[in-house]
Amino acid sequence: CTKSFSSLKFRYTDATTLLLDFAIITYAVDPKKLQEILPESLTPDCFTLSDGREVAFVSAVPFRDVDFHFHFAPFIKVSMGQTNYRAYVKRRDGQRVVYFFGTTLSGFWVRIPRDVWKLPWKTASMQFDTKWEEDHLISYILKTQSQWGPSELVMKGTDQDMGRLDGFIDEDETAAVLTHPLVGYYHRSDGKIGSYHVWHERLDLKRACIEQASFPVFERLGLIDADTKIHSALVMPQTEFVICLPPKLAPELE
């Protein structure tokens, strides 16, 4: 994938989707606990918070896919809810990437990534109730029913730009780590490690205030507990993503 939508050269198997109600809910976690559940070839990307703690970061990223379509069939468009559960990590060569613990997806289409490509994607029923005034979030309510990844999220918007979040040098590093990872890895259902790439413009996110949040996936992994405070919540009304498909095996991590 290249550097702007106007110059992107699509493969017929790639896909484009509009993401609505896009949010990134991030927790600061113990790097040692995160390392225990990562492939050996990936290490946590570590940062020091203002209180002196060394941490790594994991995020739940919910959104609504609208008009998802493969480029070989632009007339077939589908919409669905989705939440990605990811950690911010580094490869042996130092490149910053993400590791996906799994994804919840609403609707029939979960069968393609789960059964055909062996991605760790799980069936879910997702209810979004959001209100925006242009790019300002008024309210955001998400309820997810899923055996693997149930969740609840209630938050309100602010007028604060993302800026520099705690633990990062500046806004550029914040964006590079939390909002612009383009390469992701995951454990396939057959035990092998797979990867896929995405592309998008730089995201223009604003901070949000959490009123209620529950992501049991992270608790089950031993990364947070009921008392863990959220590091940050970021939102934007919509953004467009290109997903380079199909996913591939990742021999570079073997």
Side-chain angles (χ1 to χ4, degrees):
C1 293
T2 51
K3 294 184 178 181
S4 68
F5 275 108
S6 61
S7 62
L8 278 173
K9 296 181 179 179
F10 297 126
R11 297 177 303 175
Y12 76 98
T13 55
D14 293 341
T16 295
T17 183
L18 182 65
L19 309 186
L20 303 186
D21 301 327
F22 185 85
I24 304 175
I25 314 302
T26 300
Y27 293 87
V29 302
D30 184 340
K32 293 181 181 178
K33 292 183 178 179
L34 177 57
Q35 183 66 77
E36 291 174 355
I37 53 180
L38 292 176
E40 292 183 0
S41 48
L42 296 175
T43 58
D45 201 356
C46 295
F47 302 87
T48 302
L49 298 182
S50 56
D51 63 8
R53 286 183 297 141
E54 184 181 46
V55 300
F57 293 113
V58 299
S59 296
V61 184
F63 50 85
R64 292 190 295 123
D65 283 293
V66 175
D67 291 342
F68 177 100
H69 61 278
F70 291 98
H71 297 160
F72 65 79
F75 46 86
I76 301 178
K77 298 181 178 181
V78 297
S79 299
M80 52 227 166
Q82 183 171 336
T83 299
N84 295 330
Y85 292 86
R86 68 193 193 188
Y88 304 95
V89 299
K90 288 184 176 181
R91 299 192 321 199
R92 290 192 184 105
D93 61 5
Q95 181 179 351
R96 283 176 163 153
V97 298
V98 289
Y99 176 77
F100 289 97
F101 302 110
T103 291
T104 52
L105 191 74
S106 64
F108 169 84
W109 295 100
V110 71
R111 296 183 180 183
I112 294 177
R114 183 190 65 195
D115 299 341
V116 177
W117 296 328
K118 304 184 186 302
L119 274 74
W121 286 28
K122 315 294 182 180
T123 302
S125 173
M126 303 178 69
Q127 294 179 313
F128 286 84
D129 183 2
T130 62
K131 183 178 180 181
W132 300 81
E133 289 184 357
E134 296 183 349
D135 64 346
H136 175 73
L137 176 66
I138 304 301
S139 63
Y140 191 119
I141 301 173
L142 168 63
K143 293 184 179 180
T144 303
Q145 294 180 330
S146 167
Q147 184 176 1
W148 181 83
S151 69
E152 291 189 15
L153 177 62
V154 180
M155 57 184 176
K156 292 184 178 180
T158 75
D159 291 323
Q160 279 188 285
D161 293 333
M162 177 186 67
R164 183 191 72 85
L165 295 175
D166 191 16
F168 300 103
I169 296 172
D170 52 25
E171 182 176 358
D172 285 342
E173 186 179 57
T174 304
V177 175
L178 294 185
T179 76
H180 211 72
L182 300 181
V183 179
Y185 295 94
Y186 55 91
H187 269 105
R188 294 166 29 125
S189 58
D190 60 7
K192 298 178 181 179
I193 298 176
S195 72
Y196 65 93
H197 297 62
V198 301
W199 192 92
H200 56 82
E201 301 278 6
R202 178 160 175 161
L203 304 180
D204 184 17
L205 292 131
K206 293 188 179 298
R207 301 188 187 194
C209 292
I210 296 288
E211 297 186 347
Q212 179 183 354
S214 175
F215 296 101
V217 167
F218 293 138
E219 294 184 44
R220 191 169 64 247
L221 290 169
L223 296 173
I224 68 171
D225 57 36
D227 296 324
T228 302
K229 294 182 179 179
I230 289 172
H231 169 267
S232 57
L234 303 170
V235 296
M236 65 185 301
Q238 66 180 50
T239 184
E240 191 173 24
F241 269 55
V242 174
I243 306 99
C244 302
L245 295 172
K248 299 179 180 180
L249 291 174
E252 67 271 22
L253 294 193
E254 296 298 330

